[in-house]
Amino acid sequence: MIKLFIADDHELFREGLKSLLSREKDIEIVGSASDGLEAVNAVWRLKPEVVLMDVTMPNMNGIQATAKICSELPDIAVIVISMHNDRRFIAEALKAGARGYVLKESSPELMLDAIRTVSRNEVFFSPKVCTVLVSDYLRLLGNEEVGRASPLSEREMEVLQLLVKGRNGKQVADALSISKNTVDTHRRRIMDKLGCESMAELTKYAIREGFLTLE
C-alpha cells in the first residue's frame, strides 16, 4: 500500500485528486494540505511514501517545500504537479530533489503511473516535460562537444586516424593521396598541437579526448 499525501491550494483540484486516487486498492491517502508550510509539517508527522506537491502555494511555495522535505526526509518521494512545463520550473523542481514532474493536464492513468513509479524509487515525468528535458540535454551536449572541439584541422584528423590505427607514413600518404613528406609535416604539427612526444601518448590522448575511435 502506497501512503500518499497531496498538497495543492486549489480545493476543487485537491479534492478531485483525493476522490480519484482513493479508489485505487494500492493507494492510501494519509493527508492533504493547502499551503507549503502546512504540507511540510504534516509530512513530518505522517511520513507518507509519496507526496504530490503543487508548485504555487501560499506561505511556502512548492519548490521550497519540496527542497525541505527532500533534504530532511530523503526516503519520501516528491512529485511536483504543475500547470507549467516551463524549463525553469522543471529545473528548480529537480534541484529541489523531486523525483517526478507531472502536468496537471495529465490523464488519471498517467498520474497513477507516476505515483507507482516513484514509490519504486524511480523517476517519472510527463511526456511534455520529457521533451523539454531531452531538448535541454541535447543542447548542453552540443555545447560540450563544441567546447572540447579538436584543435586539429580536418586533414590532420584524417592523418591522426590512420596513424593511430598503425599505418606507417607511406601507407597514410597512399591512403590520402599525398606525399610522405606532407604526412611527416602533419604528424609533427599534430604532436605539437596536442603536446605529445610519442605515438603512444598521441594515441592515448586522441582516444581520451574522443577525437576518434579505434573501430
Side-chain angles (χ1 to χ4, degrees), residues 47 53 64 76 87-88 97 128 137 176 206:
K47 301 295 193 300
M53 181 73 71
Q64 294 170 326
I76 295 177
R87 56 177 38 89
R88 292 171 298 175
K128 289 183 179 179
Y137 173 76
L176 299 178

Side-chain angles (χ1 to χ4, degrees), residues 31-42:
S32 63
S34 59
D35 71 67
L37 184 58
E38 179 188 352
V40 170
N41 292 334

Side-chain angles (χ1 to χ4, degrees), residues 30-208:
V30 297
S32 63
S34 59
D35 71 67
L37 184 58
E38 179 188 352
V40 170
N41 292 334
V43 167
W44 257 105
R45 185 177 71 256
L46 299 170
K47 301 295 193 300
E49 296 171 64
V50 178
V51 176
L52 294 181
M53 181 73 71
D54 186 21
V55 170
T56 307
M57 289 189 295
N59 295 327
M60 179 184 290
N61 67 49
I63 300 299
Q64 294 170 326
T66 296
K68 192 166 182 62
I69 291 170
C70 291
S71 63
E72 298 177 358
L73 300 166
D75 291 336
I76 295 177
V78 178
I79 301 172
V80 168
I81 52 177
S82 175
M83 297 173 59
H84 310 286
N85 66 335
D86 187 286
R87 56 177 38 89
R88 292 171 298 175
F89 286 104
I90 299 169
E92 289 302 315
L94 294 178
K95 289 178 184 177
R99 289 190 209 166
Y101 194 106
V102 176
L103 298 179
K104 287 187 174 183
E105 66 186 36
S106 301
S107 67
E109 291 77 18
L110 189 141
M111 189 73 73
L112 287 167
D113 195 12
I115 293 168
R116 289 165 179 149
T117 298
V118 300
S119 73
R120 299 192 299 267
N121 202 31
E122 300 174 23
V123 296
F124 189 98
F125 303 102
S126 291
K128 289 183 179 179
V129 175
C130 286
T131 299
V132 173
L133 291 173
V134 171
S135 175
D136 281 357
Y137 173 76
L138 292 175
R139 177 175 54 81
L140 290 172
L141 185 63
N143 289 341
E144 288 177 1
E145 292 297 328
V146 170
R148 68 168 191 174
S150 171
L152 307 180
S153 68
E154 184 177 348
R155 175 61 82 185
E156 288 167 345
M157 285 292 290
E158 292 174 340
V159 171
L160 177 58
Q161 177 79 58
L162 293 170
L163 289 174
V164 170
K165 288 185 175 181
R167 307 286 179 85
N168 60 35
K170 185 177 184 308
Q171 290 171 325
V172 174
D174 291 342
L176 299 178
S177 300
I178 57 179
S179 71
K180 184 178 180 302
N181 287 338
T182 301
V183 172
D184 292 338
T185 298
H186 283 311
R187 176 163 32 199
R188 286 194 300 271
R189 287 177 178 171
I190 290 168
M191 289 187 169
D192 287 342
K193 286 183 177 181
L194 301 183
C196 298
E197 297 181 356
S198 68
M199 277 304 303
E201 288 184 16
L202 190 61
T203 301
K204 290 178 182 178
Y205 184 97
I207 295 173
R208 183 178 70 247

